[in-house]
Amino acid sequence: MFKEHYDNMRPGPTPERVLAVSKLAACMNGTKDDVIKASLLYMQNSTASEIDTIRKSIDTAKELGILEEKDGKIKSIVDDKILSNYNTFRKYVSKRVFATTSTSFFKVTEWYINKNEKIMEKENWEAIAASAVADGIENISENDILGWRFWVSFLGIGYLHNKTLIPNMYIRINDLIELADWETNDRIPANEFIKWLYSNAPECKKNSTEITLSLAVSNGLRALHEQDKIELIVQRDANRVRLYPIDGYPINDFSHVVIRG
């Protein structure tokens, strides 16, 4: 799912399945077949397709550095806290997958963020895959996009709505803020905040500038502002960063960010 250079983003191993199989393996210390058999106890039918999905979920957990197979046994190699809930799992996975820019997952995510509203014009996942290939991302099929959509939504890059993935980096940016050392109520110049964001979220940097933001980043910042996680301040005599314009929205640029917590 997250291999460098060749990344088959199959739809079977969703974030929920990978977390579930990782937690099961962490408490078993058994073989891969043991983990598969135990996982099947929670399913109504043990079809070949379900067995393959569990196997691929184990493989994805290994790619993420969560599980290790040694001497025929599958075991967890991460702190138990990482597997304790979706939030800690998501933050761990984000740090892993966005640190490597050569995977298909990273390339498609970077491409998606910088397509802005044009991505929502596509009628289906096949059209999105074709558009990615047309823009130079090789070996991307509809099946890849079907697998990619679950993870990119889980990691907080967009919201799944029917057959549309709406660009909004609210969760991703909020996770980064929680992991950062910003002081609550500090007044941070907009340019400084965006430099920090691009340094910690490299997937949103391409084709953007420090004064003009993509729709995904802009939607995320607006949502954080509305939820009182941050405050976007407009100081007219200061350098400002432009949000992706939305007609009728009261804030389309800002000069400072205040972290509210």
Side-chain angles (χ1 to χ4, degrees), residues 1-2 11-20 22-23 60-61 64 66 81-98 105 109 112 125 145-161 164-176 178 203:
M1 185 73 195
F2 303 106
T14 63
E16 293 78 11
R17 286 170 177 156
V18 172
L19 177 58
S22 296
K23 294 173 77 169
T60 298
L64 290 169
I66 295 170
K81 291 180 180 178
I82 289 171
L83 304 178
S84 64
N85 58 69
Y86 284 116
N87 289 335
T88 54
F89 178 64
R90 184 182 64 247
K91 290 173 183 177
Y92 170 86
V93 173
S94 291
K95 188 174 182 180
R96 293 276 306 195
V97 303
F98 292 122
F105 181 85
T109 303
Y112 163 79
W125 303 112
I145 296 298
L146 291 175
W148 167 84
R149 62 177 171 159
F150 293 123
W151 284 92
V152 80
S153 175
F154 174 72
L155 296 174
I157 304 297
Y159 290 100
L160 274 173
H161 178 67
T164 301
L165 186 64
I166 301 170
N168 191 324
M169 292 184 66
Y170 167 83
I171 293 175
R172 172 75 166 132
I173 298 173
N174 189 55
D175 283 350
L176 290 171
E178 290 182 358
E203 72 278 7

Side-chain angles (χ1 to χ4, degrees), residues 16-229:
E16 293 78 11
R17 286 170 177 156
V18 172
L19 177 58
V21 78
S22 296
K23 294 173 77 169
L24 188 60
C27 65
M28 283 187 63
N29 192 33
T31 66
K32 179 180 280 191
D33 285 342
D34 291 336
V35 176
I36 291 172
K37 289 175 183 177
S39 298
L40 289 173
L41 294 176
Y42 296 94
M43 299 181 178
Q44 293 181 347
N45 299 304
S46 56
T47 64
S49 176
E50 288 172 340
I51 293 171
D52 186 59
T53 292
I54 297 168
R55 189 180 303 279
K56 288 176 178 176
S57 295
I58 294 171
D59 291 341
T60 298
K62 289 163 66 177
E63 290 173 17
L64 290 169
I66 295 170
L67 299 180
E68 177 185 67
E69 188 168 9
K70 190 174 181 180
D71 298 328
K73 298 291 185 70
I74 298 286
K75 66 176 183 178
S76 170
I77 52 175
V78 297
D79 191 294
D80 290 344
K81 291 180 180 178
I82 289 171
L83 304 178
S84 64
N85 58 69
Y86 284 116
N87 289 335
T88 54
F89 178 64
R90 184 182 64 247
K91 290 173 183 177
Y92 170 86
V93 173
S94 291
K95 188 174 182 180
R96 293 276 306 195
V97 303
F98 292 122
T100 305
T101 62
S102 60
T103 65
S104 296
F105 181 85
F106 184 96
K107 291 175 182 177
V108 173
T109 303
E110 181 183 59
W111 167 83
Y112 163 79
I113 290 171
N114 289 286
K115 292 300 286 186
N116 296 312
E117 82 284 359
K118 294 179 182 178
I119 197 71
M120 292 187 288
E121 298 172 359
K122 307 304 178 186
E123 296 180 355
N124 51 48
W125 303 112
E126 183 181 8
I128 292 175
S131 182
V133 171
D135 285 341
I137 304 177
E138 299 178 352
N139 302 317
I140 297 299
S141 66
E142 180 184 9
N143 197 55
D144 290 315
I145 296 298
L146 291 175
W148 167 84
R149 62 177 171 159
F150 293 123
W151 284 92
V152 80
S153 175
F154 174 72
L155 296 174
I157 304 297
Y159 290 100
L160 274 173
H161 178 67
N162 296 325
K163 292 186 177 181
T164 301
L165 186 64
I166 301 170
N168 191 324
M169 292 184 66
Y170 167 83
I171 293 175
R172 172 75 166 132
I173 298 173
N174 189 55
D175 283 350
L176 290 171
I177 289 174
E178 290 182 358
L179 293 171
D181 56 359
W182 297 114
E183 291 293 333
T184 302
N185 296 324
D186 266 5
R187 189 182 176 100
I188 307 160
N191 287 342
E192 181 181 339
F193 181 84
I194 296 304
K195 285 180 180 178
W196 165 83
L197 177 61
Y198 286 171
S199 176
N200 288 275
E203 72 278 7
C204 69
K205 184 176 181 179
K206 187 177 182 181
N207 297 329
S208 295
T209 70
E210 291 172 8
I211 60 170
T212 304
L213 305 180
S214 68
L215 178 61
V217 174
S218 299
N219 281 346
L221 292 176
R222 286 182 172 117
L224 287 164
H225 174 82
E226 291 171 357
Q227 294 294 320
D228 203 31
K229 299 283 189 178

